Amino acid sequence: MGDPWLHIIGIGEDGVASLSLAGRNALSSAELVFGGPRHLNLVNVGARGQVWPVPFSIDPVVAHRGRKVVVLASGDPFWFGVGSLLAAALADDEWLAVPAPSTFSFAAARLGWRLEDTVCLGLHAAPFETLVTHLSPRQKLICLMRDGPAVGALTAWLVTQGFGASTLWVMEALGGPNERVRQLAAVDDAFSDVAAPVVVAIKAAGGNGLSRACGLPDDAFAHEGQITKQPVR
């Protein structure tokens, strides 16, 4: 792998304790450490810490090409993380990734779910409508959420879609000392004290879902009467 100038390190909610030896060594020798405020609070890098710009951009990292730089990311940097953005902008020998268990792995481990049979989605950066083609009775889903209020919005949306009987697990700060896992039904009042980072696991119930087959019924589409005939679709 040569001597890459950039290390992309996955970090858990237990901070430096979650890092491998390679991750700790890269962190200790870095000139600059990029991450979100939460990530930087988990490590003691002082003035070396650089918060991501808003709106988000990897340009500040690329601008320091050649220096010893670390990027901190939650869990696995290549699962709904910054890893793929950086890898696409750099040559293969410029970077090295040191992943940690993803939030999806922690959630599945807490619930005893087979991860390969579970739909994993990043709703922190996608509309709830992304769920439509995945929702079906007994389907299990794990969804990254943007913040606490988004959890209440999700439960309300599930009710409007006919999935109010679904069971939800609201899971905060998985893998860290402040971890909390709570269960509720979508029709129940959502918790008002949910804090990020948060993920919601869903065991869908009550609705019919949306088939992925051709020829969906007319009422599955938003239209004004002008629509191709169902047999043609």
Side-chain angles (χ1 to χ4, degrees):
M1 296 300 295
D3 185 23
W5 63 269
L6 174 65
H7 281 76
I8 309 169
I9 300 177
I11 190 170
E13 285 298 302
D14 49 350
V16 176
S18 68
L19 301 182
S20 65
L21 178 60
R24 291 196 296 272
N25 288 341
L27 186 63
S28 65
S29 62
E31 299 175 54
L32 295 170
V33 179
F34 284 86
R38 178 171 57 86
H39 300 133
L40 296 176
N41 286 336
L42 291 171
V43 296
N44 185 22
V45 293
R48 294 183 295 155
Q50 303 289 315
V51 178
W52 287 113
V54 179
F56 178 83
S57 172
I58 64 170
D59 291 345
V61 173
V62 178
H64 292 286
R65 178 184 263 116
R67 301 180 67 182
K68 290 294 185 181
V69 180
V70 159
V71 164
L72 297 175
S74 297
D76 187 343
F78 287 88
W79 202 345
F80 296 101
V82 71
S84 59
L85 294 176
L86 290 164
L90 302 173
D92 292 346
D93 60 353
E94 291 188 89
W95 59 272
L96 179 66
V98 185
S102 70
T103 300
F104 300 111
S105 295
F106 275 112
R110 297 296 181 267
L111 298 173
W113 289 1
R114 293 169 60 96
L115 198 55
E116 66 269 27
D117 295 333
T118 303
V119 175
C120 297
L121 298 171
L123 293 187
H124 61 303
F128 295 151
E129 285 73 18
T130 305
L131 290 168
V132 169
T133 56
H134 299 288
L135 284 172
S136 58
R138 296 180 298 280
Q139 177 63 60
K140 296 174 181 178
L141 308 96
I142 300 174
C143 306
L144 303 180
M145 305 303 297
R146 181 178 64 255
D147 52 27
V151 175
L154 174 61
T155 60
W157 183 86
L158 287 169
V159 171
T160 66
Q161 301 300 309
F163 284 88
S166 299
T167 302
L168 278 63
W169 289 264
V170 179
M171 316 174 83
E172 302 160 82
L174 287 174
N178 297 318
E179 177 178 311
R180 180 167 61 172
V181 178
R182 292 179 288 176
Q183 180 179 333
L184 76 162
V187 294
D188 295 339
D189 290 335
F191 301 120
S192 60
D193 59 343
V194 179
V198 58
V199 61
V200 172
I202 305 170
K203 187 173 184 180
N208 296 316
L210 182 65
S211 172
R212 296 191 182 193
C214 299
L216 294 174
D218 291 359
D219 60 9
F221 299 87
H223 63 92
E224 298 176 350
Q226 298 286 343
I227 186 170
T228 306
K229 299 297 184 182
Q230 185 174 7
V232 179
R233 296 198 304 273

